[in-house]
Amino acid sequence: MRDAGHDGKGKGLILGIESSCDETAAAVVRGGTEALSNVVASQMNLHANYGGVVPELASREHLKNIVPVVREAMSRAGVGFGDLDAVAVTEGPGLAGALLVGITYAKALTFGFNKPLIGVNHLEGHIHAVLMEASQRVGKSAQDGGPLLALVVSGGHTHLYLAEQREQGAWRYRNVGRTVDDAAGEAYDKVAKLLGLGYPGGPWIDALAKRGNPLAVPFRFAQIKPRIHRDGMVPKNKKAPAKVDGPTFDFSFSGIKTAVLRYIETQGMRERIAERRSMLADHPEWKPGSDEAAAWCDAQTLDLIASFQHAVVGNLLRQTFAAAETFGVRSIVVSGGVAANSELRRRFQAEGDKRGLPVAFPSLALSTDNAAMIAAAAWPKLVAGEFASDDLGPAPQLRLGGV
Ligand code: KG4
Ligand code: ZN
């Protein structure tokens, strides 16, 4: 793959641009695997003041950052626009106004420099974050015969995909699981907010969970009925349609958030939470795992945090390995912001070892949103000649692999 070159002439240099949520990112990647630069301007601190991403603010920040971020990526890579073989941009899913900034800029560049434009699904990007690093390590495609199973788990998504590379280089995906309500990262963020912790909640809960008892509060997950209809749930009171797409392994994370809220109420924890919230607001410099921050969490809170994480990771693990067994995959890749979670990495690795199933994660830098993953996902499309048309626009609800 690496040596194929899309026409044997180019250097396989792709500029990737990502602006789907709260990170403005640009990267230059050679041959789909070698990141020559990877620049990310995060708006996290801006949105932290509001406890979540504010779409209007995100678009304005992208507008401010896009030109300097792309320039920096080009200069760190030591290449000029004329050297590029293509520009790849995230077309969705994400915030419409935020996506529009990256897409408009990418279109202007491809128009001005007469280069092909490639549209990339953000979720496909997350999967390729792992694949690019794995193929760097082993020097060949991470896909070792047959499809692999990809868990994409972030603030906006919790999806399971069967992913397979076709002969002509392009990847094909089949969605075999998704959350029916909140994403796992969203549950982390909402529970952290309920407990008066910082934003985003994932790193806070990850760090503090190490100090609590994961078995103190027994959270349970409801069993979700398999979806069998091609597009959504089987309609109530109706028999399954004749056309069956196969089993799915869905997730639900809104129940555990409600359970945490109920626990807080019944255990009378509100006052302590209010104290903690105001202490943390006065000390924005306190890091998630720091002793100062932990000192404001009593044993009961730490136990609640550890139990929440234990339950969420357990649920992700059970569904993923059940799907892996059903579909007989040879490997699993886990990506997205929540793939940075230390307990998730440890338990997935251990389960994979037990079953003789390799599990791959991206480096921490490539777990969260970045543009190297967009450029990497665009490489097989460049090889296969899958280019975007002039009317490429934001696709906020874009899906991957149907369903
Ligand atoms: O992929 P990402 O950067 O953006 C989206 O596409 O959503 O993921 C951000 C999400 C947030 O919900 C954040 O709380 C979560 O990833 N996250 C974590 C950790 N680091 C980030 N969740 C659990 N443990 C972590 N260490
Ligand atoms: Zn993402």
Side-chain angles (χ1 to χ4, degrees), residues 122 126 154-156 185-186 188-189 200-203 206 336-338 340-341 367-369:
H122 181 81
H126 274 302
S154 71
E186 195 178 349
Y188 266 93
D189 295 339
D206 191 357
V338 183
N341 187 268
S367 289
T368 46
D369 290 351

Side-chain angles (χ1 to χ4, degrees), residues 228-229 234-235 238-244:
I228 7 188
H229 194 270
V234 175
K238 291 220 171 128
K239 281 200 166 157
K243 177 152 183 27
V244 171

Side-chain angles (χ1 to χ4, degrees), residues 112-396:
F113 292 96
N114 195 24
K115 301 286 177 188
L117 177 68
I118 300 173
V120 174
N121 185 311
H122 181 81
L123 301 168
E124 187 178 12
H126 274 302
I127 295 171
H128 280 266
V130 195
L131 298 180
M132 80 181 275
E133 291 184 319
S135 59
Q136 262 169 347
R137 274 195 304 273
V138 295
K140 62 181 174 70
S141 167
Q143 189 198 9
D144 185 16
L148 54 81
L149 182 69
L151 170 66
V152 182
V153 62
S154 71
H157 310 280
T158 306
H159 287 287
L160 278 170
Y161 297 102
L162 286 176
E164 191 164 19
Q165 192 169 25
R166 296 287 162 88
E167 263 156 34
Q168 73 277 25
W171 283 77
R172 288 291 168 262
Y173 306 89
R174 182 172 147 210
N175 186 195
V176 294
R178 64 171 179 187
T179 178
V180 297
D181 41 52
D182 292 352
E186 195 178 349
Y188 266 93
D189 295 339
K190 285 178 175 171
V191 164
K193 196 169 176 180
L194 282 177
L195 291 171
L197 301 171
Y199 174 84
W204 283 87
I205 290 180
D206 191 357
L208 292 168
K210 297 186 172 80
R211 300 174 185 247
N213 172 8
L215 303 177
V217 187
F219 290 115
R220 297 208 194 298
F221 277 89
Q223 203 61 35
I224 302 177
K225 288 213 177 93
R227 261 175 317 123
I228 7 188
H229 194 270
R230 180 172 260 290
D231 189 25
M233 314 289 256
V234 175
K236 274 199 185 107
N237 310 323
K238 291 220 171 128
K239 281 200 166 157
K243 177 152 183 27
V244 171
D245 265 348
T248 58
F249 296 83
D250 288 342
F251 304 92
S252 166
F253 293 105
S254 74
I256 191 161
K257 178 195 65 194
T258 315
V260 169
L261 180 61
R262 210 174 305 123
Y263 187 88
I264 290 170
E265 301 289 355
T266 56
Q267 299 291 313
M269 297 168 79
R270 280 224 169 270
E271 216 171 290
R272 280 171 288 158
I273 290 173
E275 275 172 18
R276 179 162 54 244
R277 187 171 287 124
S278 86
M279 273 317 287
L280 289 183
D282 289 345
H283 294 280
E285 75 281 7
W286 286 356
K287 296 268 175 289
S290 64
D291 289 341
E292 296 98 319
W296 286 89
C297 299
D298 53 283
Q300 191 182 23
T301 303
L302 293 171
D303 285 351
L304 177 59
I305 290 170
S307 302
F308 163 79
Q309 173 158 292
H310 184 76
V312 169
V313 171
N315 185 253
L316 290 167
L317 185 113
R318 269 189 303 280
Q319 295 293 79
T320 304
F321 279 89
E325 191 171 331
T326 297
F327 296 110
V329 298
R330 299 255 192 93
S331 62
I332 295 174
V333 303
V334 188
S335 59
V338 183
N341 187 268
S342 56
E343 181 173 339
L344 183 144
R345 286 183 177 230
R346 182 169 45 76
R347 290 176 64 188
F348 267 69
Q349 204 70 65
E351 188 68 24
D353 289 349
K354 207 167 85 187
R355 297 178 185 229
L357 203 57
V359 183
F361 298 92
S363 62
L364 289 185
L366 291 194
S367 289
T368 46
D369 290 351
N370 65 85
M373 68 186 198
I374 302 302
W379 168 245
K381 296 181 198 291
L382 178 65
V383 174
E386 281 182 19
F387 300 119
S389 63
D390 290 346
D391 61 359
L392 180 79

